[in-house]
Amino acid sequence: MAALIFDELTRAELRAVAPDATVVVPIGSTEQHGPHLPVGVDAAVITHLARAAATVASAAVPVVVTPTLPFGFAHHHLPFGGTISISMRVYVDVLVDIATSLAADGFRRILFVNGHGGNAVPADAAVDRLAYEQSLDVHVAATSYWTAAADVLAALDLDDAPKPGHAGSFETSLLLALRPELVRTDALPASEERLQPLASQDVPGGTVRHPGVWQASDGRTDDSRLASAAVGERILAEIAEALSAFIVAFHKAGEGS
């Protein structure tokens, strides 16, 4: 059975599949990605990964994939322009309302699959609100693709570039594989020997927030000139495989819910 696309089904078809399926909700962002990438990178990547992973997972369990939410919490990108951001409190409310709607549609297993770093905390908060404040009777979770595929990313050799980073070699490789015509190769930043300050602000075991570090890094983490389509294709395939395993494990953990 192939993965089902939510917005291609009728209300009756959705009603029939909802009780037994896991519904995957891809969440992305619309934000600046340096001078050479379009602002829709995160939405494009997570849409592809969610659908590819669901297709693999559907060999084992029924999966429905909703349209991607193309906006997220991205206030840290606003100084650069080219960004549409939802404040964190409102974003949590949006995710809660999406899950509540899906539960009303009859879905008992709801999985948010995230493709933007700023969404990770509000997505977790939304899941906690659904389970503990609203006591919604569903099996619900959130994961980011780099979390579900942590082993895949750890094994990648990208010359010390952060994985996934931002608008650097990793994300540029992904888009070269997905939509090469959207990569402005004539606008690639000059090669750099060092990582941008943004890529080195964290300390082991913690996430650091420092005002101005995004601007000091020109909104990027590393050298995008090291990117390649071949690397992007391999990364996308390996992440999709890992994410599909996560979907199957989530679904089976909710059996009987």
Side-chain angles (χ1 to χ4, degrees):
M1 178 179 180
L4 300 174
I5 306 303
F6 188 99
D7 45 320
E8 295 179 357
L9 302 176
T10 68
R11 64 186 187 187
E13 290 166 339
L14 285 165
R15 188 181 304 118
V17 301
D20 298 319
T22 283
V23 59
V24 172
V25 184
I27 54 177
S29 184
T30 301
E31 66 194 37
Q32 70 83 27
H33 273 76
H36 63 295
L37 294 179
V39 300
V41 169
D42 290 349
V45 168
I46 200 60
T47 298
H48 170 83
L49 288 174
R51 292 191 176 195
T55 296
V56 176
S58 65
V61 299
V63 185
V64 178
V65 184
T66 74
T68 297
L69 180 61
F71 308 119
F73 173 64
H75 275 41
H76 44 298
H77 293 286
L78 288 172
F80 298 96
T83 298
I84 300 172
S85 183
I86 300 174
S87 64
M88 186 172 291
R89 288 184 181 180
V90 174
Y91 194 62
V92 173
D93 288 342
V94 169
L95 297 182
V96 167
D97 282 351
I98 288 172
T100 302
S101 298
L102 290 168
D105 290 335
F107 288 97
R108 314 316 305 161
R109 302 174 182 86
I110 302 169
L111 176 61
F112 292 106
V113 177
N114 174 41
H116 164 61
N119 295 344
V121 169
D124 285 343
V127 168
D128 281 346
R129 272 184 51 185
L130 289 161
Y132 303 129
E133 289 187 5
Q134 297 192 192
S135 299
L136 193 67
D137 185 22
V138 294
H139 186 60
V140 60
T143 190
S144 299
Y145 74 75
W146 52 88
T147 303
D151 290 345
V152 169
L153 268 62
L156 290 175
D157 181 7
L158 296 181
D159 296 321
D160 296 325
K163 301 166 286 191
H166 187 77
S169 62
F170 183 95
E171 287 194 316
T172 303
S173 293
L174 298 190
L175 210 64
L176 282 171
L178 282 178
R179 297 289 304 277
E181 75 280 7
L182 296 182
V183 180
R184 277 64 164 180
T185 53
D186 58 336
L188 285 166
S191 292
E192 304 151 325
E193 293 184 2
R194 297 181 179 179
L195 298 176
Q196 293 289 330
L198 179 60
S200 55
Q201 69 170 341
D202 289 347
V203 296
T207 300
V208 178
R209 297 289 183 258
H210 182 74
V213 70
W214 277 90
Q215 292 89 323
S217 305
D218 189 29
R220 301 178 293 111
T221 53
D222 60 287
D223 189 354
S224 52
R225 288 185 177 268
L226 299 175
S228 79
V231 169
E233 290 174 2
R234 177 168 59 87
I235 294 172
L236 288 169
E238 292 180 0
I239 291 175
E241 188 71 28
L243 188 56
S244 71
F246 185 95
I247 293 170
V248 172
F250 168 79
H251 181 96
K252 292 183 176 180
E255 289 178 349
S257 295

